[in-house]
Amino acid sequence: MIKKLVRKTCLGFEPYVAGKPVETIKRELGLKSVIKMASNENPLGASSKAIKAIKENIEKIFFYPDSNSYLLKQALSKRYRLPAGNIFTAAGGDEIIELIAKVFFNPEDEIVYSKHSFIRYGMAAKLMGSKAVVVPMKEGFTHDLKAMAKACGPKTKAVFITNPNNPTGTYNTKSELSKFLKDLPENNFEVKPIVILDEAYYEYAKIEKDYPDGLTFLKDNQNLIVFRTFSKIYGLAGLRVGYGFANAAIADFIERTRPPFNVNLLAQVAAAAAIDDLEQVKKSQKLVKAEKAFLYKEFAKLKVPFLKSAANFILFNCAPLKGKEFFTRMLKEGIITRPMDEYDLPDWVRVTVGLHKENVLFVEKLKKTIR
């Protein structure tokens, strides 16, 4: 049987289940109108600068892309004032997580992360046969960084921290992260474990006064990796572009092991144009801030428990309904949300902040669904 040839860590491995596209839902349920509020995409769409760059380069798609993403790295280097040698690129944050796992994780290693944090960390550990050490969150669904530091032992190879966290939307402050990095013990290799700081929602969260910019910790923490994405505020989820920062040695090993041409030609030019579109960022921040306030107010009126979020989504409790039941009912109303069973939160649902008219419709259908 073929199973005898498959790596043991792949036997029984459960794939990540992505949300279905709008067109698929329309076709399956026979709906004419569907609003997707499940995957934390930017409802304002992509940067106009990115779209212009795509149009100008569309006829070049018969060429292979630049395997080293030179122009994109130069744009990132200029934007963040870091040498290009400290930057790596990938086909989205998901590939970055897998690349880190492939470079560093062994079966004898322990990987520490927080319960209710992004599910892909545990999947990466499992795929490489490493042991996952899952630390409970503090009250209020925030990472317990003190407990995570204590959970690190001689075999700890890496620690994942999502800031702000997906799916809770909560974040750890600059002082909390600084103390964690200082308190982190050394492992069997006589170095501190690698800390992977996932800042996919960085641009939304940075308006919070005490939210830390991970890049400020790079100089004094040689085993720190910070990564971000163009899928969220920049509206390029369909092109799959992620990028990260680390010391030159770490960046070099990640670059060596990534697939050639992993970031396609149009993704590179679009991302290089989008990174300097500060107007896109400001508009998106303003929209999300205002619409979160609107949704918070409506949740409070309906006495629906929710978590205040530093990202562009809100996690709320739909009990006595289960998340999957709420999701199914809302789907029939033409609104796609995200139940949180896979995050061990069966009574909770995550909703992406949409345009005002979309949020108004969501509230209308929410009232109908929870009655």
Side-chain angles (χ1 to χ4, degrees), residues 26-77:
K26 284 182 178 180
R27 185 173 62 252
E28 290 181 350
L29 298 183
L31 297 173
K32 292 183 178 180
S33 176
V34 173
I35 298 173
K36 188 180 180 186
M37 304 179 76
S39 301
N40 309 332
E41 294 137 339
N42 189 338
L44 293 178
S47 157
S48 59
K49 291 184 178 181
I51 294 172
K52 182 174 181 289
I54 290 171
K55 289 179 178 178
E56 290 175 349
N57 287 273
I58 192 71
E59 293 183 1
K60 298 178 183 178
I61 60 172
F62 65 96
F63 287 121
Y64 281 103
D66 176 3
S67 181
N68 295 313
S69 300
Y70 176 81
L71 293 178
L72 174 54
K73 287 179 184 176
Q74 290 301 310
L76 290 166
S77 176

Side-chain angles (χ1 to χ4, degrees), residues 131-152:
K131 179 183 177 182
V133 178
V134 185
V135 180
M137 284 186 154
K138 294 193 295 186
E139 186 177 354
F141 291 100
T142 57
H143 299 309
D144 191 338
L145 296 186
K146 184 177 180 180
M148 291 176 76
K150 286 184 176 180
C152 294

Side-chain angles (χ1 to χ4, degrees), residues 67-68 73 83-89 99-100 102-104 194 218 222 224-226 244-260 262:
S67 181
N68 295 313
K73 287 179 184 176
N86 295 110
I87 301 171
F88 57 90
T89 56
L99 287 172
I100 292 170
K102 290 175 182 177
V103 172
F104 294 105
I194 298 162
L218 275 178
Q222 291 299 299
L224 176 64
I225 300 173
V226 180
F245 308 90
N247 77 58
I250 289 177
D252 177 59
F253 275 109
I254 292 174
E255 283 288 294
R256 290 191 209 180
T257 53
R258 65 169 175 77
N262 60 331

Side-chain angles (χ1 to χ4, degrees), residues 271-371:
I275 195 63
D276 286 325
D277 193 346
L278 301 183
E279 190 61 31
Q280 162 89 358
V281 172
K282 289 178 182 178
K283 284 181 180 179
S284 302
Q285 289 170 333
K286 183 178 180 180
L287 170 74
V288 167
K289 182 178 180 180
E291 292 306 313
K292 281 194 296 188
F294 167 74
L295 289 170
Y296 292 160
K297 185 177 179 181
E298 295 300 321
F299 280 134
K301 284 181 184 177
L302 295 169
K303 296 182 179 180
V304 173
F306 66 93
L307 300 181
K308 286 195 172 181
S309 171
N312 67 329
F313 57 82
I314 302 172
L315 186 71
F316 64 94
N317 191 309
C318 59
L321 294 177
K322 291 297 182 182
K324 284 187 177 179
E325 184 180 3
F326 178 90
F327 163 78
T328 300
R329 290 189 183 187
M330 289 291 279
L331 202 59
K332 292 177 181 177
E333 298 292 335
I335 296 179
I336 312 172
T337 55
R338 184 82 176 193
M340 290 289 108
D341 295 68
E342 60 189 344
Y343 288 90
D344 198 21
L345 294 166
D347 298 327
W348 295 76
V349 172
R350 190 189 68 198
V351 62
T352 304
V353 177
L355 300 173
H356 184 66
K357 63 180 181 180
E358 295 172 336
N359 297 327
V360 169
L361 182 60
F362 166 77
V363 172
E364 177 187 321
K365 301 301 183 182
L366 171 67
K367 291 176 182 177
K368 178 180 178 180
T369 300
I370 63 175
R371 281 175 183 163

